[in-house]
Amino acid sequence: MSARPAPVARIADGGAVPRHVAIIMDGNGRWAKKRFLPRVAGHKAGIDAVRRVTRAARSMGIDALTLYAFSSENWRRPEDEISDLMTLMRVFIRSDLDELVRENVRLRVIGDYRRFSSDLVVLVDEAIARTAANTGPILAVALNYGSQAELANVARRLAERAMRGDLDPATIDTGLIESQLDTYDLPPLDLLIRTSGEVRLSNFLLWQAAYAELLFTETLWPDFDGAALADAVAIFGQRQRRFGGL
């Protein structure tokens, strides 16, 4: 049977609160440029925004927050910027993991993060393991993630199963595909936000966003905070979601 979008979890004073919010965190470089700072300063400020927004999401009762931290296309950036980003990932894990454990947050990573350096892979694996038993909200971080590659991997795995005779192609439906996605254990995506004024999905959660509400804001990511997230959730709560019906 094909999977159907799950209902929104709860109703707040301003309307419905999404169960699953995803954010394309864009604008770090422009934030730094406006202040005549190096790009790494924008990325550092972006880490502060991650802390603010993840805490705000927990306080609002959002079940899952997915952040686009490093795309499969980001490898095209200059080597020194990639190195800075990897360093900031290490800093964030070491400094914030205890808080995630304490707040009962379960960390999930989507994407092929094992392409990163071995020490960073170990840090990520340890962080996932330390939060695996947590039962509270999910923080999913997209690392070396690309939605087209994700879908190609799903198609490849299903084709291999069919060739072995383990799968009847006639039984392949949307539910089976969704069970093979990186986000298989996350709630259906309700709201996708992109900061910085860009109006595109940039290869992020293309399948999952099929019936998500999209919100594009001019705010640069380092300036995004709990109030901005609350505004986005309020806008979401005012929208009517029909999922193809009337």
Side-chain angles (χ1 to χ4, degrees), residues 134-242:
N134 289 352
T135 58
I138 297 170
L139 173 61
V141 183
L143 296 176
N144 193 27
Y145 173 86
S147 189
Q148 291 176 332
E150 176 189 28
L151 293 171
N153 288 337
V154 170
R156 188 179 304 111
R157 288 195 298 270
L158 295 180
E160 290 170 350
R161 288 174 56 187
M163 289 177 66
R164 292 195 305 267
D166 299 332
L167 176 66
D168 179 358
T171 65
I172 297 175
D173 60 9
T174 57
L176 179 59
I177 292 172
E178 287 177 358
S179 74
Q180 301 297 309
L181 295 172
D182 290 358
T183 54
Y184 69 93
D185 58 345
L186 299 181
L189 182 60
D190 291 314
L191 173 63
L192 192 153
I193 302 167
R194 180 167 188 153
T195 61
S196 86
E198 301 293 347
V199 187
R200 56 181 177 271
L201 297 184
S202 294
N203 200 19
F204 184 52
L205 301 181
L206 301 180
W207 176 285
Q208 296 87 340
Y211 278 102
E213 294 296 315
L214 307 182
L215 192 151
F216 302 96
T217 173
E218 296 288 335
T219 304
L220 301 175
W221 175 246
D223 292 327
F224 202 84
D225 55 16
L229 180 62
D231 288 343
V233 167
I235 292 170
F236 171 86
Q238 295 167 5
R239 293 185 181 179
Q240 294 185 358
R241 307 180 75 198
R242 298 184 178 88

Side-chain angles (χ1 to χ4, degrees), residues 83-98 100-101 107-109 113-132 141 143:
S83 178
D84 289 336
L85 288 168
M86 299 301 163
T87 297
L88 289 172
M89 288 182 200
R90 294 182 182 92
V91 170
F92 178 78
I93 293 172
R94 289 172 177 147
S95 62
D96 289 60
L97 181 57
D98 286 344
L100 297 181
V101 173
L107 179 67
R108 282 275 283 107
V109 174
Y113 69 92
R114 296 192 178 279
R115 183 177 169 184
F116 295 156
S117 63
S118 58
D119 70 302
L120 183 52
V121 170
V122 168
L123 278 176
V124 172
D125 283 341
E126 290 176 348
I128 293 172
R130 280 193 62 192
T131 65
V141 183
L143 296 176

